[in-house]
């Protein structure tokens, strides 16, 4: 479903700040697979997402999605196939538009319906039904401006915007990191329900090692723009956080040094 083949990205080439963000990075993700990604700051996790979304041109390698080469496809065209929820609840929505208008805007971006038609009575009923399934009372606030919602509510609205029309790929960029523990747990529950129900191919960056091991079906650890640990199946099911940290240490000849992960 997703094939990232030996991609490389170097920033500030030829300067004292030169940084190899992705170093011949390769990853294969099967159709419907849910992969969690962990790694210290600067490991290349968000750079990987930006490369897949087309935020910049990679230096070499290729990216294929659903059998189609998207390496040089413009970002706006990729956005019709790829949904992304950011860590910052302020991103991904238009704060001065209502919930219904935001969802309709995302719906129209797929090219299926113009914005105005997506706000008709039938589609608003669909939006309401989808929001009701999240059990957060958002179905009764469809005419509320998104800027007035809490962080957790905004993330759920963004998730609906990304998945109302099932994307070929969903990218979750630490989408619960800015939320309090109770809200984070609720948003993760909704995320798992949506991904499982729609069988969406998903990549999720997280600094929560426990969540990484118990969400989805595969976990990779990144360091210096490469995959250093790749676990799935029974090996992953048996693994504890301490085992994962030990694998990282063996792969890199150093202990993981990231407070957010060690304390989560």
């Amino acid at each position: 479903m997703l094939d990232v083949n030996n991609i490389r990205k170097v920033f500030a080439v030829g300067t004292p700040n030169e940084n190899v963000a992705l170093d011949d990075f390769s990853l294969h993700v099967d159709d419907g697979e849910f992969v969690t990604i962990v790694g210290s700051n600067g490991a290349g996790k968000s750079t990987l997402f930006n490369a897949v979304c087309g935020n910049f041109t990679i230096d070499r390698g290729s990216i294929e999605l659903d059998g189609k080469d998207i390496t040089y496809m413009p970002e706006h065209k990729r956005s019709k196939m790829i949904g992304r929820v950011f860590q910052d609840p302020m991103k991904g929505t238009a704060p001065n538009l209502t919930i219904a208008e935001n969802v309709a805007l995302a719906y129209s971006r797929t090219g299926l319906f113009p914005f105005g038609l997506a706000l008709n009575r039938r589609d608003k009923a669909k939006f309401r039904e989808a929001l009701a399934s999240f059990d957060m009372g958002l179905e009764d606030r469809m005419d509320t401006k998104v800027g007035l919602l809490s962080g957790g509510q905004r993330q759920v609205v963004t998730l609906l915007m990304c998945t109302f029309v099932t994307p070929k790929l969903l990218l979750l960029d630490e989408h619960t990191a800015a939320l309090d523990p109770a809200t984070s747990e609720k948003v993760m529950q909704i995320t798992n329900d949506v991904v499982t129900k729609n069988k969406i191919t998903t990549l999720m960056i997280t600094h929560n090692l426990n969540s990484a091991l118990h969400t989805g079906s595969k976990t990779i650890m990144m360091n210096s723009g490469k995959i250093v640990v790749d676990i799935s199946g029974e090996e992953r099911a048996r693994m504890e956080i301490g085992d994962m940290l030990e694998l990282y240490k063996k792969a890199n000849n150093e202990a993981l040094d990231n407070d957010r992960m060690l304390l989560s």
Side-chain angles (χ1 to χ4, degrees):
M1 171 45 120
L2 174 68
D3 281 296
V4 179
N5 303 305
N6 300 110
I7 65 172
R8 181 176 176 85
K9 183 62 184 180
V10 183
F11 293 105
V13 178
T15 74
N17 296 320
E18 181 172 306
N19 173 38
V20 181
L22 293 171
D23 190 4
D24 291 324
F25 181 96
S26 294
L27 175 67
H28 172 78
V29 184
D30 289 327
D31 189 17
E33 190 171 22
F34 192 155
V35 179
T36 57
I37 305 173
V38 294
S40 58
N41 296 330
K45 305 181 300 297
S46 290
T47 304
L48 169 63
F49 277 19
N50 290 336
V52 172
C53 288
N55 295 155
F56 51 71
T57 302
I58 57 176
D59 299 330
R60 68 166 179 254
S62 64
I63 302 172
E64 296 181 9
L65 182 59
D66 198 22
K68 184 174 184 178
D69 191 334
I70 64 169
T71 308
Y72 301 106
M73 180 181 289
E75 181 179 0
H76 71 277
K77 289 188 177 181
R78 297 192 205 191
S79 69
K80 294 180 180 181
M81 302 183 290
I82 300 172
R84 185 173 183 177
V85 185
F86 293 88
Q87 175 180 341
D88 185 354
M90 300 297 286
K91 289 185 176 181
T93 56
N96 290 322
L97 296 182
T98 67
I99 293 176
E101 289 169 338
N102 269 274
V103 179
L105 188 62
Y107 195 23
S108 65
R109 193 168 61 237
T110 65
L112 295 176
F113 295 96
F115 176 70
L117 292 180
L119 272 174
N120 63 40
R121 183 178 298 178
R122 183 188 63 184
D123 287 327
K124 286 189 73 172
K126 290 181 182 178
F127 301 163
R128 180 181 177 84
E129 182 181 358
L131 288 166
S133 69
F134 298 153
D135 193 27
M136 294 185 73
L138 291 171
E139 69 276 12
D140 297 321
R141 302 188 64 185
M142 288 182 58
D143 293 325
T144 299
K145 290 185 177 181
V146 168
L148 299 177
L149 302 179
S150 68
Q153 290 170 330
R154 288 189 73 151
Q155 292 300 65
V156 169
V157 170
T158 306
L159 183 64
L160 176 60
M161 292 168 64
C162 290
T163 60
F164 192 78
V165 176
T166 304
K168 294 185 182 298
L169 178 67
L170 177 63
L171 303 178
L172 305 172
D173 195 348
E174 293 192 72
H175 71 308
T176 64
L179 308 178
D180 65 81
T183 304
S184 174
E185 184 177 349
K186 177 65 175 179
V187 172
M188 271 309 309
Q189 175 195 329
I190 292 171
T191 300
N192 279 310
D193 290 345
V194 169
V195 169
T196 301
K197 177 182 177 181
N198 297 288
K199 300 179 181 178
I200 304 173
T201 306
T202 304
L203 300 180
M204 182 180 80
I205 295 173
T206 179
H207 275 90
N208 187 315
L209 293 178
N210 186 61
S211 180
L213 282 174
H214 295 95
T215 303
S217 54
K218 179 178 182 177
T219 299
I220 63 173
M221 296 189 79
M222 292 180 63
N223 187 45
S224 300
K226 295 181 177 180
I227 295 176
V228 294
V229 174
D230 185 336
I231 53 174
S232 58
E234 292 186 8
E235 178 188 17
R236 181 177 183 265
R238 295 193 303 266
M239 188 161 290
E240 302 291 339
I241 291 176
D243 301 323
M244 196 171 183
L245 294 174
E246 186 61 28
L247 276 179
Y248 181 92
K249 184 177 180 180
K250 288 180 179 178
N252 297 283
N253 294 316
E254 63 181 14
L256 184 66
D257 183 18
N258 190 291
D259 291 343
R260 287 178 63 195
M261 280 190 282
L262 297 176
L263 296 175
S264 62

